[in-house]
Amino acid sequence: MYTGIDILRVNMSEPVSLPPIESEDGKTSVESIQDEVIRRICFLDYPPGSQLKEAELAKEFGVSRTPVRDAISRIKHLGLVETRNGVGTVVTALPREQIEHVYEMRLQLATLIGTMSPPPVTEHDLTRIKDLLNAAIALEHEFDARRYVELNDQLQILIADLIGNSLLRSFWRQAYFQAASTWYSVASMAGADVATSLVQELKEIKAALVQGDMAAVGFIQRVQIGYGYQRIMQHLFSDEGDASDGS
C-alpha cells in the first residue's frame, strides 16, 4: 500500500492539463492514456474499487496493451491504483492517514507558490480566471456536482500553469491528483455550499492576479486546502471521531 512518505518519491514527469486521448500536442499515447485515466479517477468516473482492464482500455484508445500497461504503471506511483492478486488493477481509496499526509503536503506546497520563479501574470491568465469566476457564479445559482468538479479541476490547472518552478509544479499536480477523488466525493455531499466557497476563492485569486501577487495566490490556496480538509474530516470521518470519544 502506498504510504505518506512515498509522496516524495513519485514519478517526476512534467504535469500537464488533461487533453483528449487523440492529442495533437506531441504527447505519446502513454502520456495521453495516463492523463485520461487519472482524470476519470479524479472525477470519480472510476470510483474506488473499479477494475482497470488493460484489454478494454486498449480497445477504447485504439492501441496495443503495452502503452496501457505503461500508463497504469505510472499511475501506480501516485497511489491511485494497486494490483491485487486474482483481481488485477483496482482504483484505491486513500485511508485517513494517507489523506492527512497528502493534505499536509499540499498545505506546505501552497506556501511556496509565488516564492520560487513565479512567471509574470498574462492577459490570458486574467481571462481564464474571469471565465472561471463567471462560470462559478452561474453554478452557485444552479448547482451541479459534476460541473463543480470540472471548474475546480480547471482552476487547479490554472494554478499549476502559474507556478514557474517545474519541480514545485510537478509536486503540486501530483498532490492534487491524490486528493481530488476524496475531495470531490465530499463536495457532492456538501452541495451548493462548495460553489459559494469557489466563487469567493476565485474572486480573491482574481484580485491577487490583477496585482501580480502570486504569493497571495498561494496563501488563498492554503486557506482553501485547509477548508477542504476540514470538510473531508466532517463528512467522511466524523463517526471515527465519535467512536474514539466513546460517544
Side-chain angles (χ1 to χ4, degrees), residues 172-190:
W172 179 264
R173 286 296 282 163
Q174 291 162 0
Y176 161 70
F177 291 149
Q178 292 180 315
S181 62
T182 301
W183 168 239
Y184 291 150
S185 65
V186 168
S188 298
M189 302 176 195

Side-chain angles (χ1 to χ4, degrees), residues 44-61:
L44 295 173
D45 294 330
Y46 294 159
S50 299
Q51 185 178 1
L52 301 184
K53 299 181 179 180
E54 292 180 6
E56 292 181 3
L57 291 171
K59 181 178 180 180
E60 176 187 349
F61 298 150

Side-chain angles (χ1 to χ4, degrees), residues 30-142:
V30 173
E31 292 170 328
S32 294
I33 293 168
Q34 174 190 354
D35 290 342
E36 177 60 16
V37 172
I38 287 175
R39 185 192 69 80
R40 294 177 185 182
I41 293 172
C42 291
F43 283 25
L44 295 173
D45 294 330
Y46 294 159
S50 299
Q51 185 178 1
L52 301 184
K53 299 181 179 180
E54 292 180 6
E56 292 181 3
L57 291 171
K59 181 178 180 180
E60 176 187 349
F61 298 150
V63 298
S64 70
R65 294 177 65 167
T66 299
V68 172
R69 187 178 301 114
D70 290 345
I72 291 175
S73 178
R74 294 184 182 190
I75 295 170
K76 287 180 184 177
H77 288 290
L78 292 171
L80 302 180
V81 300
E82 65 182 11
T83 300
R84 297 178 183 172
N85 292 333
V87 178
T89 302
V90 177
V91 177
T92 60
L94 296 184
R96 176 170 180 165
E97 182 181 22
Q98 178 66 10
I99 292 171
E100 291 174 351
H101 291 168
V102 169
Y103 272 84
E104 286 173 359
M105 177 64 77
R106 296 191 75 205
L107 287 168
Q108 293 304 313
L109 293 175
T111 65
L112 301 177
I113 295 176
T115 67
M116 301 175 67
S117 307
V121 178
T122 67
E123 286 299 321
H124 180 57
D125 297 328
L126 294 176
T127 298
R128 291 168 71 185
I129 196 67
K130 290 175 184 176
D131 289 345
L132 280 171
L133 176 57
N134 290 334
I137 291 172
L139 179 68
E140 189 177 19
H141 292 95
E142 190 173 349

Side-chain angles (χ1 to χ4, degrees), residues 10 72 86 122 135 144 160 164 186 194 220 226 231:
V10 293
I72 291 175
T122 67
D144 177 80
V186 168
V194 295
I220 295 164
R231 283 296 186 95

